[in-house]
Amino acid sequence: MSKTMNIAFLVFVLLYMLGLFYVVDFLWLLKIIPIAITGVSVFKTQASSSRSVLIVALVFSGCGDLLLAFDEFIFGVAAFLLAQLSYALIFRAYWQSISTRWAMSVGLLIYMVFMAWLLLPSLGDLQLPVMAYLLVISAMGLLAVQSSLPIRWAVLGAVVFIISDSLIAVNKFISPVPFESYWIMSTYYAAQFMLVTSLLKSAKPQSKARKN
């Protein structure tokens, strides 16, 4: 992302955070503008091995943001599930080895099993969609950790995304998180920024087809 886009992203994130405090009517619009900015940044970059999939991930992320803003939880989860599948597909292209950063992989697995154990008793009729999402985001995180991509910022972005979603789950199903919107959205925006920044830097330009 360019410096101008970075500044615009930060400005609108701050505006959204202020909007949470003042409860403005168009908060849903402020919520998706930072993701729209990242999407435009990706679209303007040179064609690469991951650009199209990254745009798809951001489109589904924006849809998920809107659906959750209007209390459409199941559809929001479905949209983010597709976004996580898109990120997982990108990380799969950088697969290195199951033993890569094995300690981080084990730690992530333990954390996700703990989250499943914590959430299951409280999910009721939402067990299937929430557990499906948990499996997908776990796969995304493991593929990120076991990829050849740098910890800063690709792997860290994936981990922070998991933390953000964990806060949503705990807040909705376990117990209210103090200042939940600020914690959830700040980690979410940070994760998206880190993922997009790192993946754009690591993307391999597509070679042009040779003319006959």
Side-chain angles (χ1 to χ4, degrees):
M1 290 174 63
S2 67
K3 185 176 180 180
T4 301
M5 288 294 191
N6 288 346
I7 293 172
F9 179 88
L10 179 60
V11 167
F12 279 101
V13 167
L14 293 175
L15 285 174
Y16 176 75
M17 294 300 177
L18 286 173
L20 288 173
F21 182 77
Y22 289 106
V23 194
V24 296
D25 292 334
F26 52 90
L27 193 59
W28 61 270
L29 178 59
L30 288 176
K31 185 179 185 181
I32 63 170
I33 289 178
I35 302 304
I37 290 171
T38 59
V40 170
S41 297
V42 174
F43 184 78
K44 291 172 65 176
T45 59
Q46 181 181 358
S48 66
S49 56
S50 58
R51 187 183 72 166
S52 297
V53 184
L54 187 51
I55 290 173
V56 170
L58 292 170
V59 168
F60 280 121
S61 293
C63 291
D65 287 333
L66 282 176
L67 289 165
L68 292 180
F70 291 104
D71 294 324
E72 297 289 347
F73 182 76
I74 293 298
F75 293 108
V77 169
F80 273 113
L81 185 146
L82 293 172
Q84 298 299 349
L85 282 174
S86 300
Y87 277 125
L89 185 62
I90 296 174
F91 286 127
R92 178 66 182 84
Y94 293 91
W95 169 264
Q96 186 163 295
S97 168
I98 197 169
S99 61
T100 302
R101 305 177 183 127
W102 65 268
M104 288 185 67
S105 296
V106 171
L108 181 60
L109 278 173
I110 292 173
Y111 176 77
M112 299 312 292
V113 169
F114 169 75
M115 286 300 301
W117 172 81
L118 185 68
L119 291 170
L120 266 173
S122 306
L123 295 178
D125 295 337
L126 297 178
Q127 276 191 10
L128 183 59
V130 173
M131 286 298 105
Y133 185 81
L134 195 66
L135 285 173
V136 169
I137 198 170
S138 299
M140 185 278 294
L142 286 172
L143 286 170
V145 170
Q146 295 166 359
S147 73
S148 59
L149 293 168
I151 291 179
R152 180 184 178 187
W153 296 105
V155 177
L156 186 58
V159 171
V160 174
F161 213 139
I162 291 172
I163 292 172
S164 180
D165 283 344
S166 297
L167 289 171
I168 293 175
V170 170
N171 183 71
K172 183 172 182 63
F173 298 110
I174 306 300
S175 178
V177 176
F179 306 105
E180 76 281 357
S181 294
Y182 295 96
W183 288 113
I184 291 167
M185 295 309 297
S186 61
T187 51
Y188 168 70
Y189 287 133
Q192 293 279 26
F193 181 84
M194 287 188 283
L195 285 170
V196 171
T197 300
S198 181
L199 291 172
L200 286 180
K201 286 182 179 179
S202 303
K204 300 173 182 177
Q206 290 179 345
S207 58
K208 294 182 180 179
R210 293 180 181 179
K211 295 181 180 180
N212 294 327

